[in-house]
Amino acid sequence: MADIKNIVTRAISGIVLVGVVIAATLWHYYSRDILLAVIGIGCQIELLNLIRKDGMRTMRYLICACSALLLFFFSVYGLSYIVAFVAVIMILARFVSELYTRHSTPFQNIALDLFTTLYTIVPVAAASTLDRWELLTLFVMVWVSDVGAFIVGITAGRHKLFERLSPKKTWEGCVGGVVLTAAVGALMGHLLFYGHIWQWAVIGTLTSVSAVFGDLFESMIKRSIGIKDSGNVIPGHGGMLDRFDAFLFAAPVFWVSYNLIFNLITL
């Protein structure tokens, strides 16, 4: 009975979450930026809390405030000298702030704070440069990769992909998710964008593979600390980091592959 209740809760919250993401992505670029900021800052807060649970120190309030400010400037000015200047000032501020603490591991403390920014905020910033249909395509690719891997994995999965970190993932599920994402990417690219079908199939393939590694990476972090979920803000799904771990790896790969194929390579 408890398992059925959990499945229902997970399904309902998943549908609501997908609806919110789609609505915020398509409604207005303000809602898109707010959505991405919530994802980035939410994941960063959970990651900083996990680091603290593992007995390491971070200046979480300062680093989250800097990340929020950086995302604000990025949403207003995009890739510009102003944003670069703000980023440099914030990095220097984090360096200087360590002078006023009595921690015995300054290098580790600074590295951890900057790591959380690289892991959670930079991918969100990359995603915010996409237009609404490109961003929606990215989200759909990540979802299809996850759902496809799950369905193929439970029906035909035999060989473990990475048993040490994720015992339920299989090679068959992974390949199924990648193939399905490539097909959906090709279809969406054909219907919504310019370019050849094979180009969008390549983007879908790279996005799906990176999403798998994103999920495995977060599993590694949680297993190193000995916890099941990064948080409990999404009923049935855990925390923000649990739900968007694949997105954090997929977003920069999608951004790079999209720009490489359509802006740097001419056919």
Side-chain angles (χ1 to χ4, degrees):
M1 188 68 179
D3 290 339
I4 296 177
K5 183 178 179 180
N6 184 62
I7 292 173
V8 172
T9 300
R10 183 180 177 86
I12 293 175
S13 62
I15 292 171
V16 171
L17 180 62
V18 168
V20 170
V21 169
I22 293 175
T25 299
L26 298 181
W27 183 35
H28 196 276
Y29 63 87
Y30 285 152
S31 61
R32 178 205 63 185
D33 289 344
I34 291 173
L35 169 69
L36 291 174
V38 169
I39 292 173
I41 300 298
C43 289
Q44 186 175 41
I45 290 173
E46 289 184 353
L47 184 58
L48 288 165
N49 288 336
L50 293 182
I51 290 172
R52 290 224 161 196
K53 284 183 180 180
D54 202 30
M56 294 176 284
R57 295 181 176 274
T58 61
M59 299 189 71
R60 49 185 171 177
Y61 299 114
L62 173 63
I63 203 68
C64 286
C66 287
S67 295
L69 191 59
L70 183 62
L71 287 177
F72 170 76
F73 274 93
F74 194 85
S75 68
V76 174
Y77 298 103
L79 290 169
S80 66
Y81 291 111
I82 294 177
V83 174
F85 175 76
V86 171
V88 169
I89 293 300
M90 290 178 178
I91 292 173
L92 292 177
R94 178 61 188 91
F95 290 170
V96 172
S97 65
E98 196 66 26
L99 296 173
Y100 297 92
T101 68
R102 301 193 178 195
H103 302 157
S104 59
T105 56
F107 295 129
Q108 175 180 282
N109 301 340
I110 293 173
L112 287 171
D113 280 338
L114 296 183
F115 158 70
T116 66
T117 304
L118 178 65
Y119 178 33
T120 64
I121 304 302
V122 172
V124 164
S128 69
T129 65
L130 303 171
D131 70 27
R132 58 182 181 174
W133 292 109
E134 293 164 355
L135 180 59
L136 181 62
T137 300
L138 168 59
F139 277 121
V140 171
M141 284 182 176
V142 173
W143 295 335
V144 169
S145 177
D146 186 37
V147 173
F150 175 75
I151 294 175
V152 176
I154 62 174
T155 55
R158 297 292 183 272
H159 303 87
K160 300 299 183 182
L161 175 66
F162 218 119
E163 192 169 7
R164 177 171 61 88
L165 299 179
S166 188
K168 295 183 179 180
K169 281 186 171 54
T170 63
W171 276 103
E172 292 83 358
C174 178
V175 172
V178 170
V179 171
L180 187 59
T181 306
V184 170
L187 178 62
M188 293 188 71
H190 176 69
L191 295 176
L192 299 175
F193 307 101
Y194 59 88
H196 299 291
I197 290 178
W198 72 264
Q199 292 173 312
W200 283 100
V202 170
I203 293 174
T205 299
L206 295 174
T207 300
S208 180
V209 171
S210 61
V212 173
F213 280 109
D215 187 46
L216 290 172
F217 183 77
E218 198 236 354
S219 296
M220 178 183 69
I221 292 175
K222 291 189 296 185
R223 282 186 175 273
S224 70
I225 302 174
I227 61 170
K228 183 177 182 294
D229 297 321
S230 64
N232 55 8
V233 296
I234 306 176
H237 291 266
M240 294 285 289
L241 196 57
D242 294 317
R243 189 63 275 165
F244 292 101
D245 52 358
F247 175 81
L248 295 177
F249 266 49
V253 171
F254 179 94
W255 184 87
V256 169
S257 58
Y258 174 83
N259 282 281
L260 179 63
I261 289 176
F262 292 112
N263 294 335
L264 295 182
I265 297 178
T266 57
L267 298 177

